[in-house]
């Protein structure tokens, strides 16, 4: 088995793993980073979403051997110390979750969107997020959370409580 | 224990779910008890009335006279931390939060001092399961009583300490205070060094909903931070040292019998292979190796010819099965003389409605981690019925339930789809053979094919109505889908309502709202059809035949918010409504669609739901449940259907089975009617039931096309 380099959440790893293995399996089973979830195994539900060089990718259909030297960020790498990323905080503030199994994938997709577009319209949010499934149906709250996070990241004031 | 508090606690056994099977058997060894929970204050319920009554008085020392069989509901330790035990489980309905609110309210303590232990068959009282919107009407009330008992105990402790009249003492903000002397003491200080137990009083006064301070508020998910950081471990995330990953060989079609099996290649891979009857599985140190081993198995199967979805509805009507539906309002209801009323009417309408099988698609598939220690089995699994799964495991392995422990970490949803313990049994079987812990997580394809579906059904409705819009007869026959919500809430003198159980080509079971979705779809669509045939306004027609005040209130509230009277702004616009009563809640749903016959496109533009479920425990979470019900309900209403042929699921992947997404989601407005004078009811199911008929009625309003089968437009709208 070849040794593969991998950069995850700012840490360098060297793994003995078949390069054909899915990135999701490596994250969950080898590195015990279980915040990224299995949902469909074919890249259509978004539960496994991670950032690769800052862009949202489905880790369940990404071969681990194809990633290096690009860097990976998972939900576990989003916080700095105790400080939540504004998107994480916005999901809490808007109660944008029920069972929350989709939440880490939603947050990673939203971060990717806001990295590329600091002030997305509602239509742009919906288009970008359409590959992420929330089976509990919290979509309207997730849209609100992303709008809230965009404002926070731009330094605009936001009401503490949801406006609903 | 020198002093005993003088709290006036009635020592009645609590009566929650007395019809259920016995509680766990706790052989009281005093030292074990202390070791398990530590010093402090304990609230329990007991089955053994005699022993409880003997103890008399109020709280008593644990060692003295604790009954043999008890359920521990609440423990407050010397640090003032409160642990609450409930057999209910968290699958996204946010009861970990709403139940914490209930305890905080009655105990007068900050919500962050409370920890809920949920769905652990060893630690929590027996519970039948988390389904049927029962948590709020039963467990919320139960835990309020539990917390009230603990509060009384604490007040009694303070009274004894101060030699004060307990009736003038006040519990608030985690302290007991004496307004006369201005003394006050923290709960933690009162509990220090105590070993007190009290049983749950049956009729302790509870805080009235009008005085709620913590209940009734929009409290965020109590452990929300663990979810947005990825820290929470769902069942599929769990790990143990030396754990193996299990995979199970599936037959090529439902009910296929195994004729022969060659395991030679797999065994050469150094994995555990189990062949036990029709069960064939492997366990390996990694998932990829387990998958390779599974692929290397060579099996021959014998399959029987089975029906396809094309013949489903004929099949259901032609294949009756004698049996009862345990989930609904009863199999048969009759009043008046329907046949006579139908023959003597000036206006009769007969129509048939149908619903397809649909899949729950919980985003976390079934998962379980099993570990044997000698003859004792522990399984962590995502299930709505941990005690039911304990029973299934005990039966499968022919062992007493006492040696099985099932734990349920907060799980990635269920929607009624996780009542069973398939992965628990599979993981336990493999773990027994491997002599190591084994985790089994189903793939999405397994979840689609080997779980169970919401029942399909056919519903025949025949009605009679006077020209003035008064309903006179209602003949309603549901084949297979179930009897939940089958009874009509409209005032009709002659009724015959029958549920006909049939054979089912696919494995079927519980689903959020059960058959209430199908029965309301048929009823509320039919009401719309009758109204149009009389050229009456559908709202006016409903209200003319409806006396139930709570239901009238939601219809009127939703109509007002929706703007039912407003004219349409374009020909493709359509308005429709549906509503009803289910699981102690009342819903009216009004829908605006944009339906274009030329292109076949239908877009649900706006949904207004008015909902009333008694006193509201958590308004924002209630809105969240109503919004979610509408989004999830959209799938079953518009496009979700299981395609199958000859024992195989044909669309058993998420790329082939469409679920609602961001782009499908309409504007959703909720109107909450807060009835503080009524007991709180659940909200996980009822808000869903009005949506499908409202959409069908709105599509008719826009296009004149009447759709009577769910899903309504799996392939777009076509002129019929």
């Amino acid at each position: 088995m070849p040794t593969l380099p991998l950069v995850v959440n700012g840490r360098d790893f060297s793994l003995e793993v078949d390069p054909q293995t899915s990135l999701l399996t490596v994250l969950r089973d080898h590195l015990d980073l279980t915040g990224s979830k299995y949902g469909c195994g074919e890249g259509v539900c978004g539960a496994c979403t991670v950032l690769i060089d800052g862009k949202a990718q489905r880790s369940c259909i990404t071969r681990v051997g194809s990633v290096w030297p690009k860097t990976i960020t998972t939900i576990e790498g989003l916080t700095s110390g105790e400080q939540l990323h504004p998107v994480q905080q916005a999901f809490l503030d808007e109660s944008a979750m029920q069972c929350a199994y989709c939440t880490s994938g939603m947050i990673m997709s939203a971060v990717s969107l806001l990295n590329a577009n600091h002030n997305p319209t509602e239509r742009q949010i919906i288009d970008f997020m359409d590959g992420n499934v929330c089976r509990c149906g919290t979509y309207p709250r997730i849209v609100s959370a992303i709008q809230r996070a965009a404002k926070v990241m731009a330094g605009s004031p936001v009401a503490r409580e949801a406006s609903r | 224990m020198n002093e005993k508090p003088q709290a006036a606690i009635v020592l009645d056994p609590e009566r929650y779910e007395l019809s259920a099977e016995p509680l766990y058997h706790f052989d009281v060894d005093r030292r074990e008890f202390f070791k398990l929970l530590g010093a402090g204050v304990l609230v329990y319920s007991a089955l053994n009335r005699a022993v409880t009554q003997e103890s008399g008085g109020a709280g008593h020392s644990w060692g003295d006279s604790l009954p043999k069989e008890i359920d521990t509901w609440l423990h407050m330790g010397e640090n003032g931390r409160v642990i609450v035990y409930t057999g209910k489980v968290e699958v996204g309905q946010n009861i970990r939060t709403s139940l914490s609110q209930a305890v905080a309210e009655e105990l007068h303590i900050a919500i962050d001092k409370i920890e809920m232990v949920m769905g652990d068959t060893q630690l929590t009282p027996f519970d039948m399961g988390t389904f049927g919107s029962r948590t709020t009407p039963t467990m919320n009330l139960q835990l309020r009583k539990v917390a009230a008992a603990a509060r009384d105990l604490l007040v009694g402790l303070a009274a004894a300490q101060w030699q004060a009249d307990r009736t003038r003492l006040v519990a608030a903000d985690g302290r007991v205070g004496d307004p006369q002397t201005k003394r006050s003491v923290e709960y933690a200080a009162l509990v220090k060094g105590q070993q007190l137990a009290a049983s749950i009083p049956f009729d302790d006064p509870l805080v009235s909903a009008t005085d709620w301070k913590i209940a009734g508020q929009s409290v965020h998910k109590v452990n929300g931070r663990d979810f947005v950081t990825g820290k929470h471990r769902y069942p599929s995330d769990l790990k143990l040292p030396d754990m193996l990953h299990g995979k199970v060989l599936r037959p090529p079609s439902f009910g296929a019998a195994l004729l022969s099996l060659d395991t030679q290649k797999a065994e050469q891979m150094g994995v555990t292979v189990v062949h036990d009857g029709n069960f064939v599985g492997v366990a390996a140190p990694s998932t990829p190796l387990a998958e390779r081993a599974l692929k290397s198995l060579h099996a021959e199967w014998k399959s029987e010819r089975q029906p396809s979805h094309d013949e489903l509805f004929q099949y259901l009507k032609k294949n009756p099965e004698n049996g009862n539906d345990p989930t609904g309002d009863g199999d048969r209801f009759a009043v008046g003389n329907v046949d006579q009323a139908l023959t003597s009417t000036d206006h009769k309408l007969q129509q048939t409605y149908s619903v397809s099988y649909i899949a729950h698609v919980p985003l976390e598939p079934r998962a379980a981690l099993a570990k044997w220690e000698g003859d004792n089995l522990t399984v962590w699994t995502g299930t709505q019925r941990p005690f039911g799964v304990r029973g299934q495991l005990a039966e499968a392995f022919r062992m007493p339930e006492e040696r099985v422990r099932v734990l349920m970490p907060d799980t990635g949803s269920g929607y009624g789809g996780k009542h069973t313990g398939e992965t628990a049994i599979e993981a336990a079987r493999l773990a027994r053979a491997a002599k190591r812990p084994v985790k089994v997580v189903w793939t999405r394809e397994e979840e689609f094919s080997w779980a169970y579906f919401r029942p399909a059904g056919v519903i025949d409705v025949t009605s009679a109505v006077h020209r003035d819009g008064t309903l006179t007869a209602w003949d309603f026959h549901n084949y297979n889908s179930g009897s939940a919500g089958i009874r009509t809430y409209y005032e009709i003198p002659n009724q015959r309502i029958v549920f006909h159980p049939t054979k089912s080509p696919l494995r079927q079971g519980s689903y959020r709202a059960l058959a209430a979705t199908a029965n309301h779809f048929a009823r509320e669509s039919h009401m719309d059809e009758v109204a149009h045939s009389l050229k009456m306004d559908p709202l006016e027609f409903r209200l003319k035949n409806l006396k139930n005040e709570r239901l009238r209130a939601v219809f009127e509230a939703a109509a007002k918010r929706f703007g039912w009277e407003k004219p349409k702004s374009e020909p493709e616009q359509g308005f429709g409504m549906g509503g009803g009563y289910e699981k102690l809640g009342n819903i009216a749903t009004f829908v605006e669609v944009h339906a274009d016959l030329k292109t076949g496109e239908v877009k649900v533009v706006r949904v207004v739901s008015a909902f009333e479920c008694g006193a509201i425990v958590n308004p924002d979470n209630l809105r969240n449940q109503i919004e979610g019900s509408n989004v999830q309900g959209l799938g079953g209403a518009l496009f979700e259907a299981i395609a199958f042929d000859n024992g195989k699921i044909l669309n058993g992947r998420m790329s082939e089975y469409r679920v609602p997404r961001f782009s499908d989601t309409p504007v959703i407005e909720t109107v909450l009617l807060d009835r503080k004078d009524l007991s709180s009811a659940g909200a996980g199911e009822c808000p869903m039931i009005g949506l499908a008929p409202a959409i069908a009625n709105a599509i008719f309003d826009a296009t004149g096309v009447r759709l009577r089968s769910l899903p309504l437009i799996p392939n777009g709208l076509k002129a019929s």
Side-chain angles (χ1 to χ4, degrees):
Chain A
M1 200 91 68
T3 303
L4 277 180
L6 206 64
V7 185
V8 184
N9 299 333
R11 285 181 61 195
D12 289 304
F13 294 91
S14 178
L15 301 166
E16 275 190 27
V17 61
D18 179 352
Q20 296 299 308
T21 311
S22 81
L23 175 59
L24 179 65
T25 298
V26 171
L27 291 173
R28 290 175 56 82
D29 292 352
H30 294 251
L31 304 179
D32 200 28
L33 295 169
T34 55
S36 308
K37 305 300 183 194
Y38 168 87
C40 68
E42 47 179 343
V44 299
C45 82
C48 66
T49 305
V50 299
L51 302 183
I52 298 180
D53 276 357
K55 284 192 185 139
Q57 302 285 340
R58 310 299 184 220
S59 65
C60 76
I61 50 167
T62 302
R63 303 284 163 210
V64 67
S66 72
V67 182
W68 196 81
K70 292 189 275 261
T71 63
I72 299 159
T73 308
T74 70
I75 188 78
E76 292 90 346
L78 210 55
T79 46
S80 43
E82 283 296 293
Q83 184 69 39
L84 295 180
H85 187 281
V87 174
Q88 291 173 308
Q89 186 61 50
F91 270 65
L92 288 180
D93 291 340
E94 295 286 339
S95 286
M97 67 195 85
Q98 286 183 20
C99 83
Y101 191 79
C102 71
T103 301
S104 49
M106 289 285 179
I107 289 174
M108 298 317 279
S109 288
V111 169
S112 173
L113 167 64
L114 295 177
N115 281 347
N117 181 348
H118 298 310
N119 187 22
T121 63
E122 185 177 340
R123 189 70 248 168
Q124 287 170 328
I125 293 172
I126 288 168
D127 287 347
F128 190 87
M129 299 296 294
D130 218 30
N132 285 70
V133 168
C134 171
R135 192 62 177 137
C136 300
T138 64
Y139 298 126
R141 285 161 183 266
I142 293 170
V143 172
S144 301
I146 295 171
Q147 290 169 328
R148 170 185 281 264
K151 280 184 200 155
V152 170
M153 290 164 80
S156 316
V158 241
R160 235 349 251 165
E161 282 301 314
S163 55
R164 254 179 303 275
Chain B
M1 223 4 260
N2 300 320
E3 289 173 313
K4 285 185 181 179
Q6 302 303 305
I9 289 172
V10 183
L11 287 169
D12 235 1
E14 94 82 15
R15 298 182 189 185
Y16 172 70
E17 282 175 4
L18 276 185
S19 58
E21 69 183 68
L23 318 164
Y24 78 95
H25 298 266
F26 202 120
D27 290 331
V28 182
D29 176 323
R30 216 178 138 198
R31 272 163 310 210
E32 279 298 307
F33 216 91
F34 289 128
K35 219 161 50 183
L36 192 64
L37 295 173
V41 165
L42 179 80
V43 179
Y44 68 91
S45 60
L47 275 188
N48 192 332
R49 182 185 290 261
V51 178
T52 323
Q53 283 173 344
E54 263 171 37
S55 63
H60 52 80
S61 176
W62 291 353
D64 296 350
S65 56
L66 210 56
K68 278 269 185 231
E69 291 174 12
I70 67 161
D71 274 333
T72 304
W73 289 95
L74 181 147
H75 176 257
M76 180 185 276
E78 291 183 292
N79 55 3
R81 296 281 309 164
V82 176
I83 301 178
V84 180
Y85 301 89
T86 172
K88 295 290 180 205
V89 295
E90 176 64 61
V91 283
Q93 73 287 46
N94 274 336
I95 60 170
R96 185 178 289 281
T97 302
S98 64
L99 294 176
S100 298
Q101 284 179 271
V103 171
E105 182 65 56
E106 298 293 339
L107 195 47
H108 302 306
I109 196 171
I111 201 165
D112 62 6
K113 292 251 197 266
I114 297 166
E115 182 195 334
M116 304 285 307
V117 172
M118 305 176 76
D120 177 339
T121 62
Q122 188 165 311
L123 296 182
T124 65
F126 173 84
D127 191 276
M128 279 189 293
T130 305
F131 51 79
S133 296
R134 298 300 299 158
T135 299
T136 298
T138 60
M139 187 55 67
N140 189 286
L141 190 62
Q142 169 73 0
L143 293 185
R144 287 174 64 199
K145 288 180 184 172
V146 165
R151 181 190 67 211
D152 274 359
L153 207 60
L154 292 161
V155 169
L157 278 170
Q161 201 174 80
W162 295 332
Q163 302 282 305
D165 175 8
R166 73 181 310 282
T167 56
R168 72 162 192 257
L169 302 187
V170 180
D173 300 330
R175 307 177 75 88
V176 180
D178 182 345
Q180 210 169 76
T181 62
K182 308 273 189 252
R183 274 185 300 201
S184 92
V185 57
E186 276 192 1
Y187 288 169
L190 284 171
V191 166
K192 199 148 189 69
Q194 301 284 356
Q195 290 152 12
L196 270 185
S199 74
I200 298 163
F202 193 53
D203 52 2
D204 215 33
L206 299 175
V207 178
S208 158
T210 49
D211 297 328
W212 280 350
K213 294 184 181 70
I214 302 169
Q217 299 298 311
S218 291
V219 174
H220 289 306
K221 202 175 180 75
V222 286
N223 53 346
R225 192 184 165 99
D226 289 348
F227 293 98
V228 300
T229 55
K231 187 180 157 202
H232 172 71
R233 297 260 173 173
Y234 292 85
S236 55
D237 298 331
L238 296 174
K239 241 181 205 181
L240 282 174
D242 292 330
M243 181 185 89
L244 302 177
H245 297 263
K247 286 279 164 195
V248 176
L249 184 66
R250 305 296 169 191
S253 63
F254 301 125
L258 185 61
L259 294 179
S260 72
L261 179 72
D262 180 355
T263 61
Q264 202 183 353
K265 276 186 191 161
E267 273 156 19
Q268 284 164 358
M269 293 178 181
V271 304
T272 301
V273 182
V274 177
H275 176 199
D276 185 349
N278 245 16
F279 177 86
V280 181
V282 298
S286 77
T287 310
L289 181 57
E291 282 166 353
R292 280 201 301 280
L294 192 74
K295 273 197 190 123
S296 79
L297 297 172
H298 182 73
E300 286 179 314
W301 303 85
K302 183 172 179 285
S303 301
E304 303 274 334
R305 175 78 209 159
Q306 294 171 57
S308 86
H309 61 259
D310 291 333
E311 52 194 303
L312 171 63
F313 300 127
Q314 301 92 302
Y315 178 95
L316 294 177
K317 293 211 52 184
K318 280 184 199 156
N319 286 275
E321 183 184 73
N322 293 326
N324 296 315
D325 170 34
T327 59
D329 302 346
D331 293 340
R332 190 182 179 88
F333 174 80
V335 64
N337 188 330
V338 171
D339 294 322
Q340 194 176 37
L342 285 173
T343 48
S344 61
T345 183
D346 51 4
H347 202 102
K348 183 167 122 180
L349 183 67
Q350 180 167 14
Q351 290 298 355
T352 296
Y353 307 85
S354 60
V355 302
S356 294
Y357 291 108
I358 60 176
H360 307 78
V361 200
L363 208 54
E364 182 183 31
R366 279 164 168 69
L369 169 59
K371 178 181 78 168
W372 291 85
E373 287 161 303
D375 289 337
N376 293 314
L377 172 63
T378 303
V379 179
W380 293 260
T381 188
T383 175
Q384 295 171 249
R385 294 175 60 240
F387 288 87
V389 170
R390 180 182 68 172
Q392 289 180 359
L393 286 164
E395 198 182 325
F397 295 97
R398 296 189 181 81
M399 60 196 283
E401 289 193 347
E402 288 76 15
R403 293 218 308 270
V404 183
R405 180 183 186 182
V406 175
L407 299 96
M408 156 84 182
D410 294 8
T411 287
S413 78
Y415 320 119
K418 289 181 179 167
H419 286 198
T420 45
E422 295 88 351
T423 49
I425 293 169
E426 291 165 359
R429 183 67 190 85
L430 290 167
R432 197 172 68 172
K435 298 187 168 46
R436 283 164 72 173
V438 172
K439 179 163 81 170
V440 172
V441 180
W442 277 12
T443 62
R444 179 56 56 194
E445 290 81 357
E446 287 178 294
E447 184 68 36
F448 265 108
S449 284
W450 301 100
Y452 53 85
F453 302 103
R454 182 194 74 179
V458 181
I459 299 173
D460 291 330
V461 187
T462 313
S463 66
V465 63
H466 278 310
R467 288 197 192 285
D468 72 350
T470 308
L471 281 163
T472 58
W474 189 257
D475 198 11
F476 190 99
H477 297 264
N478 176 315
Y479 296 85
N480 187 61
S481 94
S483 63
I486 198 169
R487 291 272 293 274
T488 180
Y489 28 77
Y490 296 108
E491 305 290 328
I492 309 169
N494 303 291
Q495 299 182 27
R496 179 169 54 214
I497 297 170
V498 187
F499 167 57
H500 304 266
T502 76
K503 294 191 177 105
S504 169
L506 301 184
R507 187 181 179 211
Q508 57 185 20
S510 182
Y511 184 101
R512 191 176 192 174
L514 298 169
T517 295
N519 287 321
H520 281 80
F521 170 65
R523 178 167 46 242
E524 289 291 301
S525 294
H526 195 84
M527 288 297 287
D528 207 68
E529 294 196 57
V530 176
H532 281 289
S533 72
L534 293 169
K535 298 195 167 36
M536 264 183 93
D537 175 85
L539 179 62
E540 186 194 339
F541 174 62
R542 280 176 174 78
L543 293 176
K544 186 178 176 64
N545 290 283
L546 186 60
K547 278 193 187 146
N548 182 322
E549 285 302 326
R550 292 173 71 180
L551 205 43
R552 287 180 69 95
V554 291
F555 267 110
E556 282 161 357
K560 189 174 166 204
R561 168 69 74 90
F562 184 79
W564 178 249
E565 303 292 334
K566 75 183 173 187
K568 289 195 236 173
S569 56
E570 53 179 4
E572 291 82 13
Q573 199 176 33
F575 301 152
M577 75 184 73
Y581 171 93
E582 178 66 11
K583 303 280 189 286
L584 310 172
N586 295 274
I587 184 80
T589 306
F590 282 57
V591 164
E592 175 187 336
V593 300
H594 181 97
D596 190 335
L597 263 185
K598 289 190 285 291
T599 63
E601 280 176 39
V602 174
K603 169 82 185 160
V604 178
V605 178
R606 179 173 173 242
V607 175
V608 173
S609 289
F611 186 57
E612 185 261 288
C613 59
I616 297 171
V617 178
N618 183 326
D620 190 57
N621 189 43
L622 180 56
R623 289 185 197 280
N624 203 342
Q625 286 298 316
I626 297 168
E627 291 160 11
S629 290
N630 278 319
V631 173
Q632 190 166 51
L634 211 59
L638 294 178
F639 40 70
E640 282 184 45
I642 286 292
F644 61 97
D645 182 39
N646 201 18
K648 290 187 181 70
I649 301 301
L650 304 179
N651 57 347
R653 312 167 70 94
M654 279 185 76
S655 57
E656 295 162 344
Y657 182 94
R658 182 178 169 195
V659 298
R661 289 176 181 265
F662 278 93
S663 54
D664 296 309
T665 306
V667 172
I668 301 170
E669 297 168 39
T670 54
V671 182
L672 304 183
L673 305 185
D674 192 5
R675 287 288 302 269
K676 290 192 191 298
D677 56 320
L678 298 173
S679 298
S680 305
E685 303 181 85
C686 177
M688 187 179 256
I689 60 180
L691 182 72
I695 294 173
N697 296 339
I699 290 173
F700 177 81
D701 186 45
T703 64
V705 176
R706 175 59 67 179
L707 300 171
R708 299 188 184 89
S709 190
L710 296 185
L712 298 167
I713 49 157
N715 304 305
L717 182 65
K718 292 174 196 130
S720 55

